[in-house]
Amino acid sequence: MLRLLLPSVLLLSGCSHMAQDQWSGQDKAQHFIASAILSAAGNEYGQHQGWSDSRSANFGFLFSVSLGATKELWDNRTAGSGWSWKDFTWDVAGAATGYAIWQLATY
């Protein structure tokens, strides 16, 4: 699945318009926190399904990042604010943090 993530992101980089946003702000904190929660929830879901630790971790991280990418794709619509690599960066950082916190809480 990770092999599909990079090509998908590269294909999405041909955006119709880009957001003119800053690196900090309330929406960046929302992206970070939501991604962290979704990543941890995805990890926990995998554990409840009886998956291995690595499969649960992959699922949780990619679940969170894919939702972040979907949100940016939605923003890329003509009526949207535009694709934001800054938002997506905060999504990935939040997903990684959610994974780390889940690992600390679990072990």
Side-chain angles (χ1 to χ4, degrees):
M1 179 161 295
L2 188 58
R3 294 178 191 167
L4 297 175
L5 181 63
L6 182 60
S8 298
V9 170
L10 293 176
L11 287 173
L12 292 174
S13 65
C15 303
S16 61
H17 67 286
M18 302 291 282
Q20 302 300 318
D21 56 347
Q22 302 296 320
W23 277 104
S24 60
Q26 181 180 0
D27 75 311
K28 303 307 186 258
Q30 292 168 343
H31 279 269
F32 181 84
I33 292 168
S35 293
I37 291 169
L38 289 168
S39 178
N43 279 297
E44 189 63 26
Y45 173 79
Q47 288 294 309
H48 282 285
Q49 294 300 312
W51 298 344
S52 68
D53 290 340
S54 63
R55 185 173 180 195
S56 295
N58 286 337
F59 177 79
F61 181 79
L62 292 176
F63 173 69
S64 179
V65 170
S66 67
L67 289 177
T70 302
K71 164 65 168 76
E72 291 310 311
L73 186 59
W74 179 258
D75 286 348
N76 193 41
R77 299 171 298 122
T78 304
S81 60
W83 180 275
S84 173
W85 284 108
K86 295 170 186 166
D87 285 352
F88 190 68
T89 301
W90 281 107
D91 289 334
V92 172
T97 302
Y99 165 76
I101 290 172
W102 180 79
Q103 287 290 326
L104 290 172
T106 304
Y107 299 104

